[in-house]
Amino acid sequence: MVTNLDASIFPVLRLPATTADPRRGSKKSPNQLLFDRILCDVPCSGDGTLRKNIGIWKRWQPMDGNGLHSLQTRILQRAMRMLEPDGRIVYSTCSLNPVENEAVIAAALNSNPDFQLIDVSAQLPELIRRPGISSWAPTVNRTINTTFKTWDAYNDTLTEEQRADSKMSETHWPPINAKSLQLHHCMRIYPSSGYGWILRCCARKKAAEKKRDAEEAEITVPEAEKVKLDLGGLPEPQASVSVPPTPVSEDDGSRPLMLDTVEADAQAVTETKKTIFKGKPKLSDPSFKEMPYTFLEPDDPTLISCIDQLNLTASFPSSNILVRNPAGDAVRSFYLTNDLVKAVVLNNDYPRMRLMTSGTKVITKQEAGRGLEAQFRVLGEGLPVVLPYIDPSVILDAEFATLKTLLVTYYPLLWFLQ
């Protein structure tokens, strides 16, 4: 599945109540889908790529990292809320600036004590790296001629108006407990090592979750950063998604994706009834124009014809075939998903999670002449998925000479292959 969303407000993905998946959420959101591995390759100033990216020399300025710090922290905190116990998060940037690296990691760890950095120095021993740092002084202006040791020292120099306009926050500075956070477990890989610059850290969520005062905190996201969707007829969100660089709440009901009618009717989900979308969804974001995802019934005539033509066995998961059109017509291409992806698609609203791609395109239909039955063929990218379900008796062994003939000859005749 591929989505196109601001990662700092990535929506909650729901599973039906009947799905026995170990990654199901707990506590206040028992139906939430949690992930065991998350990579946060966050937007950054990119100053670690100066050696190969000449354009950065022209536009770089010292305040770039300060402006990105808040977004980077929210993305990492959002990932923390979507990770299952004992799961792992990798945070990475291509920036040298500690404000975009260790400062973000420290802020996220202090907001969520269920996480800890883990030592991965024993892995890839030949990789030239340096440990993370626990002390830094962020720049506060473009001239880089003024620094302050602490946030309080900097804040005391500002007027009320300047404080309202400042991009700086307390988390830009090293926290008091910087050393106890074990920031040295971060990896700094400098361009001089021959790999290009990158900072990475690996955090693990403790298996035993602890109750925190921050769970009840009310938090908001700036209005400009909220996704604006007008989904007429759909239930209103229960609350706004929010993951600021302050302690976060575990209540992930902020952006419920599962429709009330679907949640209440588990039987309809189990029977995988075809969902019919009438008309186009009303979106205030005109950039999202993806077609809906509709699962075919296993007894769909076109699907049965496809299975017969391709000699697919009875074990072929025909109930996991979807198409990309509102009416659920088998127009051209068939996509195959697994059970978990199907549960996510059926129990969540695809415009809200801005679902761009789901499943693997495995089969395409080619219309024949008038009065002739349409023909189906397996696509190259779908062959590894479909091959286990093809009747072995119809698979022919061939030599490389035959493959060459098929590749270099236009419309090869049968006698070419003899």
Side-chain angles (χ1 to χ4, degrees):
M1 297 180 64
V2 178
T3 61
N4 180 19
L5 273 169
D6 179 352
S8 66
I9 53 173
F10 194 89
V12 174
L13 300 181
R14 304 289 186 183
L15 293 175
T18 56
T19 299
D21 192 279
R23 288 174 289 185
R24 180 185 300 280
S26 57
K27 298 170 107 177
K28 298 181 180 179
S29 302
N31 292 336
Q32 180 187 354
L33 173 65
L34 301 178
F35 297 89
D36 53 2
R37 298 290 187 269
I38 298 177
L39 169 62
C40 296
D41 189 15
V42 300
C44 66
S45 61
D47 53 26
T49 64
L50 289 170
R51 185 182 62 171
K52 65 177 182 180
N53 192 347
I54 299 177
I56 292 183
W57 288 92
K58 298 179 180 180
R59 64 176 182 268
W60 181 87
Q61 56 97 5
M63 296 297 287
D64 286 347
N66 292 341
L68 289 167
H69 172 83
S70 176
L71 173 62
Q72 293 164 338
T73 305
R74 294 199 309 273
I75 291 175
L76 182 53
Q77 288 178 326
R78 186 64 188 138
M80 288 176 164
R81 299 176 66 189
M82 303 186 73
L83 192 73
E84 68 173 2
D86 209 29
R88 292 192 179 189
I89 295 175
V90 173
Y91 174 89
S92 68
T93 75
C94 51
S95 169
L96 298 165
N97 193 343
V99 169
E100 301 181 64
N101 297 309
E102 286 88 352
V104 171
I105 296 165
L109 289 175
N110 281 329
S111 71
N112 195 330
D114 283 348
F115 285 79
Q116 62 184 8
L117 290 179
I118 59 177
D119 184 6
V120 293
S121 59
Q123 301 181 23
L124 301 175
E126 295 183 1
L127 178 65
I128 302 174
R129 70 193 86 184
R130 297 291 182 271
I133 60 178
S134 57
S135 177
W136 60 89
T139 181
V140 297
N141 56 41
R142 297 186 179 184
T143 59
I144 327 180
N145 58 6
T146 305
T147 59
F148 297 89
K149 290 186 177 181
T150 65
W151 155 254
D152 291 332
Y154 165 71
N155 200 38
D156 290 342
T157 65
L158 303 179
T159 64
E160 290 296 331
E161 184 177 351
Q162 290 175 327
R163 291 173 184 172
D165 297 334
S166 176
K167 293 183 179 180
M168 307 299 291
S169 65
E170 187 173 0
T171 57
H172 282 72
W173 276 260
I176 299 176
N177 64 335
K179 291 186 177 181
S180 66
L181 295 176
Q182 298 182 315
L183 295 177
H184 61 276
H185 287 330
C186 299
M187 294 189 300
R188 285 181 158 260
I189 306 171
Y190 291 99
S192 58
S193 65
Y195 303 106
W197 164 257
I198 191 171
L199 179 133
R200 282 186 177 173
C201 80
C202 188
R204 177 174 60 198
K205 186 174 185 180
K206 302 172 186 177
E209 296 187 354
K210 297 181 289 185
K211 186 73 175 177
R212 303 193 305 277
D213 294 337
E215 288 180 348
E216 306 301 330
E218 290 222 6
I219 41 184
T220 58
V221 164
E223 191 68 27
E225 298 178 3
K226 295 180 180 178
V227 177
K228 297 179 179 179
L229 298 176
D230 178 17
L231 302 172
L234 296 180
E236 292 293 330
Q238 297 175 1
S240 62
V241 168
S242 51
V243 189
T246 52
V248 296
S249 166
E250 283 290 318
D251 184 5
D252 273 322
S254 50
R255 275 185 181 268
L257 296 183
M258 184 160 63
L259 305 181
D260 292 342
T261 55
V262 176
E263 188 175 36
D265 191 2
Q267 183 178 0
V269 173
T270 306
E271 296 176 356
T272 64
K273 293 297 183 181
K274 188 162 46 178
T275 304
I276 303 299
F277 293 84
K278 297 183 179 179
K280 296 182 179 180
K282 298 179 180 179
L283 301 176
S284 58
D285 181 3
S287 64
F288 186 77
K289 300 178 181 179
E290 295 295 316
M291 295 294 288
Y293 300 77
T294 309
F295 283 90
L296 296 179
E297 295 287 355
D299 58 354
D300 183 273
T302 305
L303 180 57
I304 292 177
S305 175
C306 170
I307 293 175
D308 291 340
Q309 283 189 25
L310 298 178
N311 294 280
L312 301 179
T313 62
S315 61
F316 180 73
S318 56
S319 60
N320 287 359
I321 292 291
L322 63 82
V323 293
R324 297 293 308 276
N325 62 77
D329 297 328
V331 178
R332 183 175 179 82
S333 299
F334 294 156
Y335 298 77
L336 181 62
T337 70
N338 58 25
D339 293 336
L340 180 58
V341 171
K342 180 179 180 179
V344 172
V345 172
L346 289 178
N347 290 276
N348 298 275
D349 185 53
Y350 87 99
R352 282 192 180 174
M353 59 180 176
R354 292 179 62 89
L355 185 59
M356 309 295 290
T357 301
S358 179
T360 302
K361 186 187 291 188
V362 292
I363 299 170
T364 187
K365 183 174 70 170
Q366 296 179 314
E367 296 295 343
R370 182 178 301 178
L372 300 177
E373 187 178 6
Q375 300 298 307
F376 299 88
R377 65 181 178 89
V378 179
L379 298 174
E381 61 267 34
L383 184 58
V385 180
V386 178
L387 187 58
Y389 302 104
I390 297 178
D391 186 350
S393 64
V394 300
I395 299 177
L396 303 178
D397 293 330
E399 300 177 349
F400 281 107
T402 302
L403 176 61
K404 180 179 178 180
T405 300
L406 294 174
L407 292 176
V408 303
T409 306
Y410 287 100
Y411 305 107
L413 300 178
L414 183 60
W415 66 268
F416 288 162
L417 306 178
Q418 295 179 353

